[in-house]
Amino acid sequence: MLIKRQAEGIDLPQGSEITPRAVFESRRSFIRQMALGSIASGALLPFSQNAQAQEGGGQKLAARPNTAFVAMDKQTAYKDATSYNNFYEFGTDKADPAKHAGTLKTRPWTVAIEGEVKKPMTLDLDSLMKMAPLEERIYRLRCVEGWSMVIPWIGFSLSELIKKVEPTGNAKYVEFITLNDKKQMPGVYEPILNWPYTEGLRMDEAMHPLALLTFGMYGEVLPNQNGAPVRIVLPWKYGFKSAKSLVKIRFVKEQPKTAWSLYAPQEYGFYSNVNPAVDHPRWSQASERRIGEDGFFNRKRKTLMYNGYTEVAPLYAGMDLKKFF
Ligand SMILES: Nc1nc2c(c(=O)[nH]1)N[C@H]1C(S)=C(S)[C@@H](COP(=O)(O)O)O[C@H]1N2
Ligand SMILES: [Mo]
């Protein structure tokens, strides 16, 4: 997230709009060669390229690939996905989470499921992970700041958990509450956000099969900087909705307050669906930079409605998406 303290231009997308002539020329020759077929297009080789995305040497986590949820884009390199992060509890620089999240103790860990449910429960991590079979799904994730990644996540649909706790008729929203512990998280000494970091979804959004309760990535358990030991991943929404290191999932009647909308309500709405037609008040959302692809030949790509996950459109039928941003 871009914090306003950093205003004065440095928080705007940098570099890629300015194209020196030499780069422009070589790009043209590159495009010509592409057209002649002498350079293979990465977009046509997702699997061979993806084999190079690699893993990190963490604890392995087995999962069955779910081919119904496979972004065909080239995967982000493991190294990039684990060294360029937003996790403000560990600092606001992109490199901070990888540097500082080593102090996060991810076991023992419990997640409390409470509120408007017939079966409230507090589960340890192993019981939570056994609620449904683990799947690998390759999702794009698009940060509100204008960059994106493509990551092979491991988890199962949040709906699997929701069905087991049996929400009551009063459950209209789900609130996600994350760990707030000064001893483990140096960033929470800074009063940037109203800790704990919280997020939320409307019930029908939470039940959408795309919403992934996530325990791993790249064949391994989640690295701490990516939200270990359990997070949510919502690929059609801006990245900040995908809350990391969850400790509580609460079913509620009213739309919950969320950390970023409390911080700047005019900038970060409750829905925060990826939408290239609705700009952030301080920058355009029409395009994005794919992390790891910002070399000479890569132009910014167009941001897609719902980040390309148009199957969620019925959830928002009839809503004014400028108003409910
Ligand atoms: N608890 C918590 N969750 C968080 C954040 C955070 O600061 N704290 N940052 C969010 C933002 S802005 C983004 S873009 C994604 C980044 O996830 P990644 O680092 O795994 O790519 O995590 C989201 N989840
Ligand atoms: Mo983000």
Side-chain angles (χ1 to χ4, degrees):
M1 192 69 61
L2 304 176
I3 53 176
K4 280 184 287 188
R5 280 199 319 199
Q6 292 182 328
E8 266 70 76
I10 56 158
D11 58 358
L12 294 168
Q14 289 169 6
S16 42
E17 278 86 358
I18 307 152
T19 309
R21 187 181 177 84
V23 176
F24 179 70
E25 296 297 341
S26 62
R27 180 185 286 158
R28 275 187 24 178
S29 100
F30 180 77
I31 291 165
R32 216 176 303 124
Q33 288 179 63
M34 281 256 297
L36 295 170
S38 58
I39 299 175
S41 159
L44 300 175
L45 296 167
F47 293 111
S48 60
Q49 298 266 352
N50 284 348
Q52 292 162 23
Q54 298 297 354
E55 54 198 40
Q59 194 195 321
K60 296 275 173 285
L61 188 60
R64 176 176 56 88
N66 185 333
T67 51
F69 300 95
V70 175
M72 293 302 281
D73 314 40
K74 181 184 170 189
Q75 279 178 35
T76 301
Y78 177 92
K79 165 177 64 56
D80 292 334
T82 56
S83 61
Y84 188 91
N85 301 99
N86 275 336
F87 198 166
Y88 275 19
E89 290 87 328
F90 295 102
T92 55
D93 280 357
K94 294 288 179 278
D96 280 342
K99 262 188 244 163
H100 304 305
T103 50
L104 177 66
K105 197 164 166 267
T106 57
R107 287 203 184 235
W109 189 277
T110 57
V111 177
I113 301 151
E114 56 177 50
E116 293 290 347
V117 287
K118 293 192 193 111
K119 295 184 174 161
M121 48 182 89
T122 296
L123 295 167
D124 63 35
L125 196 62
D126 292 313
S127 321
L128 186 64
M129 276 172 70
K130 283 187 196 122
M131 274 191 146
L134 294 178
E135 298 177 1
E136 179 176 77
R137 300 184 185 183
I138 303 169
Y139 281 168
R140 292 179 291 274
L141 191 62
R142 203 295 198 171
C143 177
V144 75
E145 294 166 339
W147 49 272
S148 59
M149 298 201 194
V150 183
I151 295 180
W153 303 104
I154 297 171
F156 51 76
S157 291
L158 177 66
S159 63
E160 301 280 353
L161 176 149
I162 296 178
K163 283 181 223 151
K164 296 209 165 79
V165 297
E166 299 181 27
T168 71
N170 288 329
K172 301 287 187 245
Y173 294 88
V174 187
E175 187 179 9
F176 302 102
I177 297 130
T178 72
L179 186 70
N180 178 19
D181 184 354
K182 280 192 169 131
K183 288 198 288 285
Q184 303 180 56
M185 301 172 133
V188 302
Y189 283 101
E190 302 287 333
I192 299 163
L193 293 173
N194 200 343
W195 313 110
Y197 191 105
T198 57
E199 260 306 334
L201 291 172
R202 211 173 54 196
M203 200 60 184
D204 58 342
E205 299 181 295
M207 287 298 291
H208 195 281
L210 274 172
L212 191 70
L213 192 67
T214 305
F215 304 92
M217 58 192 241
Y218 299 87
E220 300 174 355
V221 302
L222 282 173
N224 289 358
Q225 61 268 36
N226 293 86
V230 56
R231 69 179 296 179
I232 194 81
V233 177
L234 307 164
W236 73 99
K237 292 180 178 280
Y238 290 120
F240 66 87
K241 297 290 294 180
S242 295
K244 295 175 168 180
S245 304
L246 300 175
V247 293
K248 212 172 268 187
I249 300 175
R250 192 185 285 149
F251 292 79
V252 294
K253 285 183 209 164
E254 312 284 341
Q255 182 176 301
K257 298 261 188 287
T258 64
W260 279 106
S261 59
L262 281 170
Y263 171 78
Q266 67 292 353
E267 299 190 3
Y268 308 108
F270 177 78
Y271 287 93
S272 288
N273 293 314
V274 174
N275 188 343
V278 177
D279 288 339
H280 185 281
R282 294 183 284 136
W283 60 85
S284 162
Q285 292 294 26
S287 66
E288 68 200 57
R289 187 167 65 87
R290 187 60 57 80
I291 295 300
E293 286 190 353
D294 35 12
F296 280 171
F297 302 128
N298 289 292
R299 293 198 236 162
K300 285 181 86 175
R301 2 176 122 220
K302 276 189 162 174
T303 287
L304 303 173
M305 186 64 197
Y306 300 120
N307 200 20
Y309 297 92
T310 48
E311 62 265 47
V312 301
L315 296 172
Y316 311 104
M319 282 173 68
D320 177 350
L321 299 179
K322 284 206 159 71
K323 186 168 172 223
F324 297 101
F325 63 97

